Amino acid sequence: MVYEWVLYALIGIGALGYLQRTSWIVYGWNILINASVLLFIMGVLWGYSKWRMEIELAEGLGKGDVLFFIMMAVSFPNSSFLPLFVFSTLFSLLIFLVLKPSLTDNRVPLAGLQAGFLFIFLCVNLAFDIINVYAN
């Protein structure tokens, strides 16, 4: 668990960091596309949790997960957001499946694992200048 204010601060820092690298119009369109992707995913998750798992969405997806998704959506152009979101989700699934036998809680710490992936990716990218994550 993480304090909410940390995620709110990261949303602001990420948004300002990306906005400094692009124009308002490009930023707005990228955020609109990213938000649309997130809304679609949240809709699918809502339907899956309601009809397949028979639980409320809030039981299966925490507030920290949603705030982390928003942080990623406002911090990157869609050309970086989409691959980072997909690969961080796959990374989270893989790590959870590997660690599942030794865990006492059966819930996936999605935002934490995605944050770990993002941290590792950005550190490696900073050290070796692999790609420009802000290129459109």
Side-chain angles (χ1 to χ4, degrees):
M1 290 186 63
V2 67
Y3 295 108
E4 280 182 44
W5 66 268
V6 172
L7 290 169
Y8 291 122
L10 288 175
I11 289 170
I13 292 168
L16 287 174
Y18 175 34
L19 191 53
Q20 288 179 337
R21 293 172 171 83
T22 192
S23 69
W24 278 96
I25 293 172
V26 172
Y27 179 78
W29 279 109
N30 278 304
I31 299 313
L32 183 65
I33 292 168
N34 292 350
S36 299
V37 169
L38 284 182
L39 284 173
F40 174 75
I41 291 170
M42 298 299 271
V44 170
L45 287 173
W46 174 79
Y48 184 80
S49 63
K50 182 174 176 92
W51 290 298
R52 178 75 171 143
M53 296 175 64
E54 298 178 353
I55 62 172
E56 293 295 321
L57 180 61
E59 293 177 54
L61 191 67
K63 190 174 186 179
D65 298 329
V66 174
L67 289 173
F68 187 78
F69 294 166
I70 293 169
M71 186 276 302
M72 285 185 65
V74 301
S75 299
F76 298 104
N78 52 9
S79 59
S80 296
F81 168 73
L82 295 172
L84 283 173
F85 188 80
V86 168
F87 286 114
S88 67
T89 304
L90 291 173
F91 173 82
S92 300
L93 176 64
L94 180 66
I95 296 297
F96 178 74
L97 290 175
V98 168
L99 296 177
K100 188 175 180 178
S102 63
L103 296 175
T104 57
D105 192 359
N106 64 348
R107 294 179 294 176
V108 179
L110 183 60
L113 291 172
Q114 283 185 308
F117 174 86
L118 187 61
F119 179 77
I120 292 167
F121 173 80
L122 291 175
C123 285
V124 169
N125 192 49
L126 182 64
F128 299 106
D129 197 27
I130 300 168
I131 63 169
N132 180 1
V133 293
Y134 292 105
N136 287 320

